[in-house]
Amino acid sequence: NAGVMQNPRHLVRRRGQEARLRCSPMKGHSHVYWYRQLPEEGLKFMVYLQKENIIDESGMPKERFSAEFPKEGPSILRIQQVVRGDSAAYFCASSPSPGEKLFFGSGTQLSVL
Amino acid sequence: DQQVKQNSPSLSVQEGRISILNCDYTNSMFDYFLWYKKYPAEGPTFLISISSIKDKNEDGRFTVFLNKSAKHLSLHIVPSQPGDSAVYFCAASEYGNKLVFGAGTILRVKS
């Protein structure tokens, strides 16, 4: 019974490049959440998706960031034209229904040079 | 706007003693509260939760207390063990909505 799978675990990008972070939720979970943890800070909500729908993107920066959760395949968090301030750990979580506890992946550590 | 606050960045406890981690919240609409534990380079793992209709929930060495009038919850770990050393995050949500996390408390259990 695989948990939430995130890849890659580590991603290094130069300023201006694109970063793509992938998340496969637990089997049977159709609700996906993305959180970001900056150094020395807590987990900040970014976006909540169900299959093919963005439910809440109130924590997502208005520019350069986008997320999707297609009918088939993993959820993708995409960051265009990365800047040094995007360096952080990005965690994906899933749940079987809204309001239930979240199961987290191991995260993707993004480093922007 | 920090809706969930963990005012103690770190806590150090002797093995075998009680660890008490505290959390305050400001949103009176929160009705579900959780504690997560996080080791370095890993994702947070669920520890224990409590709904707003209860004031206490216990699971083995872990007990969560909720004081709705004070908008305060706490996690008690008894007895503390060295393996409990980790970052502990408090989280809260309104039904069906996203979890809002505190900044975390680093717990160190000394043997």
Side-chain angles (χ1 to χ4, degrees):
Chain A
N1 182 19
V4 178
M5 304 300 292
Q6 287 189 252
N7 67 83
R9 286 297 307 271
H10 302 276
L11 182 61
V12 180
R13 285 287 177 266
R14 296 191 180 281
R15 279 179 296 169
Q17 291 185 318
E18 178 180 285
R20 280 186 181 235
L21 289 64
R22 293 174 187 76
C23 169
S24 295
M26 283 182 74
K27 188 175 181 182
H29 289 193
S30 58
H31 301 259
V32 166
Y33 304 76
W34 285 93
Y35 284 80
R36 175 166 66 174
Q37 185 179 23
L38 294 167
E40 310 300 324
E41 293 188 16
L43 295 152
K44 301 292 186 188
F45 168 79
M46 298 183 74
V47 62
Y48 161 35
L49 311 103
Q50 280 181 264
K51 281 289 187 182
E52 301 184 275
N53 290 306
I54 296 175
I55 307 301
D56 181 351
E57 56 181 348
S58 58
M60 195 97 102
K62 295 281 186 282
E63 297 178 354
R64 302 186 299 107
F65 285 73
S66 63
E68 63 177 10
F69 188 16
K71 188 176 179 182
E72 302 290 338
S75 175
I76 306 285
L77 179 67
R78 183 182 176 207
I79 312 172
Q80 295 178 288
Q81 298 174 316
V82 296
V83 300
R84 288 221 173 101
D86 297 333
S87 295
Y90 291 82
F91 292 98
C92 170
S94 71
S95 68
S97 58
E100 293 205 28
K101 68 186 181 200
L102 301 185
F103 294 83
F104 281 84
S106 297
T108 294
Q109 181 65 50
L110 173 64
S111 300
V112 180
L113 305 178
Chain B
D1 175 27
Q2 266 190 296
Q3 297 186 72
V4 178
K5 298 179 186 177
Q6 293 177 257
N7 292 319
S8 298
S10 64
L11 175 67
S12 189
V13 169
Q14 198 67 36
E15 181 180 6
R17 306 294 291 265
I18 184 171
S19 296
I20 300 177
L21 296 97
N22 293 302
C23 178
D24 298 293
Y25 61 96
T26 57
N27 187 343
S28 56
M29 300 301 290
F30 285 150
D31 55 11
Y32 186 45
F33 305 88
L34 309 89
W35 285 93
Y36 280 81
K37 175 179 175 179
K38 186 182 180 303
Y39 293 117
E42 293 184 14
T45 55
F46 170 77
L47 203 53
I48 193 169
S49 65
I50 188 168
S51 75
S52 59
I53 62 172
K54 292 182 149 187
D55 54 19
K56 176 183 174 182
N57 189 26
E58 193 171 349
D59 183 2
R61 296 186 297 114
F62 302 92
T63 303
V64 57
F65 295 92
L66 175 62
N67 182 334
K68 288 187 289 293
S69 60
K71 294 193 180 71
H72 177 84
L73 67 155
S74 61
L75 174 68
H76 293 209
I77 306 173
V78 176
S80 301
Q81 299 172 354
D84 295 331
S85 298
V87 180
Y88 288 79
F89 289 100
C90 168
S93 73
E94 297 176 52
Y95 179 75
N97 288 336
K98 60 185 182 282
L99 289 184
V100 179
F101 283 82
T105 297
I106 300 170
L107 173 65
R108 295 187 187 91
V109 180
K110 298 175 288 186
S111 54

